[in-house]
Amino acid sequence: RLKIASDLMVAVNIFEQLAGCPGVHGAVECEIAEISEDLEAWLNRNNLECFGSLLAIFADSLFIGPALKQHAGYALKSSSYFVLQLIFQELSKLEVSKLPAQLLPPRGLWLRRFLERESAKESFEPLAQSFVHGYDHFWQTFVRKYNLDVRLAEKVVSLSP
């Protein structure tokens, strides 16, 4: 239980760091992952096997895998916006606020907000929604960072594979 909670808490802290790093190469630029590191090597280097299993199952079940063989930056950035709510749900089930804090990783801003909501018996949905809001603005940040000129001349009416 401690290992799972620890891995998931570290994951939230990493996703918080990644939020300010646009693009899949942001993980390298922000020194979270190495340039040629796949997710499996990154997970092993960071001792995050429990989080890795969750992320790989999530990504592979959506047919965006095999996640463990993808570049760590891609696997983390492409899934982080969607897997965060799942992580909060798991942390809630684990009752992480009742675990000994001295045996767990440091608590970043997102974790502190989550734990405040947990102790007040409030839903963590607004916190997860703020991350979705961040994803909505991700492309604006990406376009600004890389000075891209992106224009769509026609209205999008449907999407298909």
Side-chain angles (χ1 to χ4, degrees):
R1 185 170 158 204
L2 270 172
K3 172 63 174 153
I4 295 169
S6 177
D7 274 22
L8 296 181
M9 290 174 74
V10 169
V12 172
N13 289 336
I14 289 168
F15 288 155
E16 184 177 349
Q17 286 179 282
L18 277 172
C21 309
V24 296
H25 297 291
V28 173
E29 292 170 6
C30 291
E31 299 178 353
I32 293 168
E34 295 175 6
I35 197 158
S36 61
E37 193 169 36
D38 66 18
L39 182 62
E40 186 172 32
W42 183 85
L43 291 164
N44 289 334
R45 180 171 62 86
N46 290 287
N47 193 26
L48 294 172
E49 295 82 10
C50 296
F51 166 59
S53 296
L54 177 72
L55 184 60
I57 289 168
F58 179 84
D60 293 352
S61 68
L62 294 175
F63 304 105
I64 54 176
L68 292 176
K69 298 304 175 194
Q70 294 172 344
H71 182 268
Y74 179 79
L76 292 167
K77 284 297 281 193
S78 65
S79 300
S80 63
Y81 299 100
F82 308 106
V83 79
L84 185 66
Q85 187 161 343
L86 181 62
I87 290 173
F88 284 141
Q89 288 170 342
E90 292 303 313
L91 288 172
S92 184
K93 287 179 199 173
L94 290 167
E95 298 180 306
V96 73
S97 60
K98 295 179 182 176
L99 296 174
Q102 67 273 20
L103 298 177
L104 294 169
R107 297 172 178 179
L109 177 63
W110 290 358
L111 279 171
R112 288 193 306 271
R113 286 183 181 166
F114 166 75
L115 292 169
E116 287 167 6
R117 290 183 179 282
E118 280 287 293
S119 66
K121 301 294 183 212
E122 295 177 16
S123 169
F124 58 84
E125 297 295 328
L127 180 58
Q129 194 59 35
S130 72
F131 201 74
V132 171
H133 176 74
Y135 180 75
D136 290 343
H137 296 285
F138 162 77
W139 289 111
Q140 291 173 349
T141 304
F142 186 83
V143 166
R144 275 194 314 273
K145 170 133 175 97
Y146 296 104
N147 298 317
L148 301 176
D149 183 9
V150 180
R151 298 177 197 179
L152 185 61
E154 296 184 32
K155 184 178 179 179
V156 176
V157 292
S158 69
L159 297 172
S160 60

